[in-house]
Amino acid sequence: MDKWQSLNNRTSLSRRAILRGMAALGIAAMTISSFAGSASAQALLEKIKSGETIRLGFTNEPPSAYPGDNNEPLGLVNAMTLDVLKKMGTTKIEPVVTDWGSLVPGLQAGRFDIITGGMWIKPERCRNVLFSEPIALSKDALVVPKGNPENLHSYEDMRDKGLTFATGAGYTAIQDAQKVGIADDKIMQVAGPPEIVQAVKAGRAAAGVLYNLNAYTLAEKDAAVEVADPFNSAAPSNYPAIAFPLNEQGAVDAFNAVLKDYIGSDEMMKAVGKYGYTKVMLPDGTTTAEACKG
């Protein structure tokens, strides 16, 4: 009996030693993981300060952001971002052009460092990315065929007439339309603004909903369409911003520090004026924290 008791005691001691060792390893692993996470959080900011290449993710959405020759990052959001990054320490940029629906997944997968597509700050997006402070104030607009033959001025008009409208995949217009009872099969989701306008021109959609600056810019270039006036939407004002990965708070804080003096400055207005941005589009004082609450 004493022999078995002694054996059990030794076994118990061994088990406790193993558990202590596992616990120590766990603590060490947590420490290493925490350190790695901390280091990762500083990675983008250090890259910017060191003048390294920063990858910008955006789609073809003139005048907000779009590719030029050799994917040159053009558009007002890219112009702002390039100016701010230069003040932070880098002028080296690698553009990554993708479709709108791939922007957030691409950022999360590390395909690019920053989203410069002019993405609106929304509560659901705030759970997946970090936003800079707002860079503009915007609302949706309704693009219709020239003369507005269906006399459309609201989501309710489209719903009551059973018409199909086009908007971008992932756009907030989808939720806005669903809230007033427009069926999913009447919501045509396409890649972006040029495709929205094309759907209206081709008669595949009776109207298209997109960002107001995009709408006016594209309508000015195409006599076949116009912007409905007014567009009576209950949707609130929206706030475009630059999006960063969730673990890059340091980079966001540094970006915002520069943005604070840059937004609305003569330098900024000169850079974005050629894209149709005017002082009436400047942010109204709403913060990112407030916009993230909806």
Side-chain angles (χ1 to χ4, degrees), residues 26-74:
I27 293 171
M30 289 173 62
T31 303
I32 292 170
S33 175
S34 176
F35 177 79
S38 176
S40 174
Q42 299 302 317
L44 179 56
L45 180 56
E46 292 307 314
K47 283 175 64 177
I48 296 171
K49 288 182 176 180
S50 301
E52 296 181 34
T53 299
I54 304 302
R55 298 164 299 165
L56 307 183
F58 58 95
T59 189
N60 183 25
E61 283 210 2
S64 297
Y66 60 97
D69 294 338
N70 298 316
N71 281 349
E72 178 188 3
L74 301 178

Side-chain angles (χ1 to χ4, degrees), residues 12 17 41 55 110-111 136 154 159 163 167 170 181 199 204 224 230 245 251 281 287:
S12 178
R55 298 164 299 165
R111 288 189 57 221
S154 67
R159 177 199 64 197
L163 299 173
T167 192
R204 293 185 291 115
M281 296 182 63
T287 66

Side-chain angles (χ1 to χ4, degrees), residues 121-164:
I121 303 169
K122 292 292 180 181
E124 62 273 14
R125 290 175 181 159
C126 294
R127 293 190 286 269
N128 293 294
V129 302
L130 293 177
F131 282 106
S132 70
E133 288 302 316
I135 59 172
L137 172 67
S138 70
K139 288 182 175 291
D140 277 338
L142 189 69
V143 170
V144 294
K146 193 70 174 179
N148 196 0
E150 295 286 353
N151 194 28
L152 301 176
H153 294 282
S154 67
Y155 286 113
E156 288 81 358
D157 288 342
M158 293 184 281
R159 177 199 64 197
D160 295 344
K161 296 182 180 184
L163 299 173
T164 295

Side-chain angles (χ1 to χ4, degrees), residues 56-61 65 67 96-107 111-112 115 117 119 168-171 189-195:
L56 307 183
F58 58 95
T59 189
N60 183 25
E61 283 210 2
V96 182
V97 183
T98 186
D99 60 89
W100 181 265
S102 298
L103 285 174
V104 171
L107 184 72
R111 288 189 57 221
F112 32 83
I115 295 175
M119 187 169 285
Y171 280 24
Q189 298 185 45
V190 297
E195 291 78 12

